């Protein structure tokens, strides 16, 4: 047994977080299909309630597509300051059990409860107590995945949603992973899943039968990661206060930007927002990525890496 199997990791994930907060605060929305986001033709769904998900509405879906799938869909403008405050309340609950908290977003985090502050022997009991405390404090439900590493804990948290928890023990890891389709693996998106399928790799068991050399030939450094997770291995520790690796800003325009001059003007607020964050935090970077989404929601990205770390005002702001 490797040392990671001695860990007790919980992945806590709030259920339809933004939409659930809106339904909590506005009783009229309860039981209705709700989407948080823009209802305009160019809008995008930021979050969908479980009632909306029954119609196939998902986050990151164009609002126009969501409305076609669910004509009764109710759109609500996001209130990020409210979501941040609720998130702070939830993380305060986490901190009562362990200092080893690795937030992934406002609504999910990893917790290492191997040696927790309350001396509770079972991670499943810790997860139950945390979920009960969240419900009492915020009137919101959370789901939990419990396992001996982060990869399996995150997979497990999806298995009893909403308002449930699921555990994958060390003796179950290999079998659990073997039965998954590769597209169900966290970190393997549709494009990578399609490439794996093209190579005849459809399940975790298929993936485990490949050599690390073969996977690296086709997927580079990521191939080593796929080799490990096919064997239910993930040695990453839970890291509190992770160093932020990127800063971004984006907006949706009412009208198409067609000329270079329009693009330059339209980008200025996004660029200024990123640079102001850099000034406040002292962060610097050397790679700039531009993401462009067209009217038909086709998306492209382009990156440029500068030599050395940017020391002062971004040259593209001038």
């Amino acid at each position: 047994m490797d040392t990671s199997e001695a860990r007790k990791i919980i992945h806590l994930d709030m259920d339809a977080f933004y939409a659930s907060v809106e339904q909590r605060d506005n009783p009229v929305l309860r039981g209705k299909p709700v989407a948080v986001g823009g209802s305009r033709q160019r809008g995008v769904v930021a979050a969908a309630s479980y009632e909306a998900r029954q119609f196939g509405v998902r986050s990151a879906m164009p609002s126009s597509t969501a409305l076609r799938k669910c004509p009764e869909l109710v759109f609500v403008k996001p209130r990020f300051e409210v979501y941040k405050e609720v998130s702070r309340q939830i993380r305060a609950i986490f901190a009562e059990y362990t200092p080893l908290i690795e937030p992934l977003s406002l609504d999910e985090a990893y917790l290492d409860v191997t040696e927790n502050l309350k001396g509770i022997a079972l991670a499943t009991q810790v997860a139950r107590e945390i979920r009960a405390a969240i419900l009492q404090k915020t009137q919101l439900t959370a789901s939990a995945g419990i396992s001996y590493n982060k990869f399996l804990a995150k997979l497990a948290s999806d298995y009893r949603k909403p308002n449930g928890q699921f555990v994958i023990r060390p003796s179950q890891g290999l079998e659990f992973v073997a039965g998954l389709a590769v597209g169900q693996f966290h970190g393997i998106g549709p494009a990578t899943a399609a490439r794996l399928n093209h190579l005849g790799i459809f399940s975790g068991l298929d993936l485990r039968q490949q050599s690390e050399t073969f996977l690296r030939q086709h997927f580079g450094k990521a191939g080593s990661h796929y080799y490990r997770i096919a064997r239910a291995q993930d040695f990453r520790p839970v890291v509190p206060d992770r160093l932020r690796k990127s800063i971004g800003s984006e907006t949706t325009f009412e009208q198409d930007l067609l000329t270079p001059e329009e693009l330059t003007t339209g980008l200025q607020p996004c660029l200024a927002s990123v640079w102001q964050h850099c000034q406040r935090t002292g962060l610097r970077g050397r790679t700039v990525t531009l993401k462009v989404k067209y009217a038909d929601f086709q998306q492209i990205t382009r990156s440029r890496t500068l030599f050395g770390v940017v020391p002062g005002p971004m040259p593209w702001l001038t």
Side-chain angles (χ1 to χ4, degrees):
M1 179 183 297
D2 63 64
T3 55
S4 71
E5 293 186 3
R7 293 180 185 152
K8 297 174 184 177
I9 308 296
I10 301 173
H11 178 255
L12 261 297
D13 194 5
M14 299 302 295
D15 299 322
F17 183 49
Y18 296 172
S20 294
V21 171
E22 297 303 333
Q23 289 178 314
R24 180 197 68 176
D25 293 349
N26 185 352
V28 173
L29 299 176
R30 295 173 190 171
K32 294 183 179 180
V34 173
V36 176
S39 59
R40 301 168 300 173
Q41 180 67 24
R42 295 170 184 265
V44 175
V45 175
S49 68
Y50 281 96
E51 295 86 352
R53 294 181 190 188
Q54 293 177 0
F55 292 88
V57 178
R58 296 288 184 271
S59 61
M61 176 179 286
S63 299
S64 55
T65 302
L67 279 169
R68 285 197 298 270
K69 289 179 176 289
C70 180
E72 303 302 315
L73 189 63
V74 180
F75 278 92
V76 180
K77 291 183 178 180
R79 298 181 297 154
F80 289 109
E81 287 307 313
V82 175
Y83 309 147
K84 289 177 182 177
E85 177 54 32
V86 177
S87 182
R88 283 191 285 269
Q89 294 175 337
I90 294 167
R91 290 183 190 174
I93 293 171
F94 295 164
E96 295 177 8
Y97 290 83
T98 177
L100 297 178
I101 305 164
E102 183 178 329
L104 302 178
S105 61
L106 291 179
D107 62 341
E108 63 175 321
Y110 289 115
L111 285 69
D112 187 329
V113 298
T114 309
E115 297 180 0
N116 59 85
L117 298 176
K118 300 202 175 186
I120 300 172
L122 298 177
T124 52
Q125 179 61 28
V126 176
R128 276 193 290 268
E129 287 194 14
I130 289 175
R131 291 174 49 241
I134 290 172
L135 181 61
Q136 182 180 29
K137 181 72 174 180
T138 69
Q139 294 79 57
L140 301 171
T141 63
S143 296
I146 305 102
S147 197
Y148 56 94
N149 64 43
K150 291 163 72 172
F151 171 68
L152 291 175
K154 186 164 177 67
L155 287 176
S157 65
D158 284 333
Y159 265 70
R160 291 290 184 269
K161 269 189 165 290
N163 195 25
Q165 63 184 58
F166 186 75
V167 59
I168 303 173
R169 296 178 172 83
S171 61
Q172 301 169 323
L174 270 178
E175 182 180 358
F176 183 85
V177 171
L180 295 177
V182 290
Q184 293 177 275
F185 283 33
H186 173 62
I188 294 183
T192 301
R195 289 178 62 195
L196 287 163
N197 292 167
H198 183 72
L199 294 169
I201 303 169
F202 296 92
S203 68
L205 180 59
D206 294 336
L207 189 60
R208 197 169 78 210
Q209 292 172 340
Q210 312 306 315
S211 70
E212 185 173 4
T213 299
F214 173 85
L215 292 173
R216 285 184 66 92
Q217 285 174 344
H218 289 276
F219 299 98
K221 288 191 294 184
S224 294
H225 174 65
Y226 302 153
Y227 178 85
R228 289 191 295 271
I229 61 176
R231 288 156 179 78
Q233 296 175 351
D234 182 1
F235 305 114
R236 297 172 300 159
V238 172
V239 182
D241 302 320
R242 288 190 308 165
L243 188 65
R244 187 168 182 176
K245 295 183 178 180
S246 65
I247 303 165
S249 176
E250 60 182 62
T251 189
T252 301
F253 299 100
E254 291 286 354
Q255 303 294 329
D256 289 342
L257 305 183
L258 301 176
T259 67
E261 292 75 20
E262 290 175 335
L263 289 167
T264 299
T265 301
L267 282 172
Q268 287 298 318
C270 291
L271 297 172
S273 173
V274 170
W275 183 242
Q276 287 164 9
H277 183 88
C278 290
Q279 288 181 312
R280 288 195 307 270
T281 61
L283 294 176
R284 295 293 184 269
R286 61 190 182 92
T287 299
V288 179
T289 301
L290 177 66
K291 179 175 70 174
V292 178
K293 184 176 288 185
Y294 294 98
D296 61 0
F297 289 91
Q298 178 187 355
Q299 182 174 297
I300 63 170
T301 59
R302 297 291 185 269
S303 296
R304 176 171 294 180
T305 299
L306 307 177
F307 291 101
V309 177
V310 178
M314 295 180 180
W316 48 87
L317 285 177
T318 57

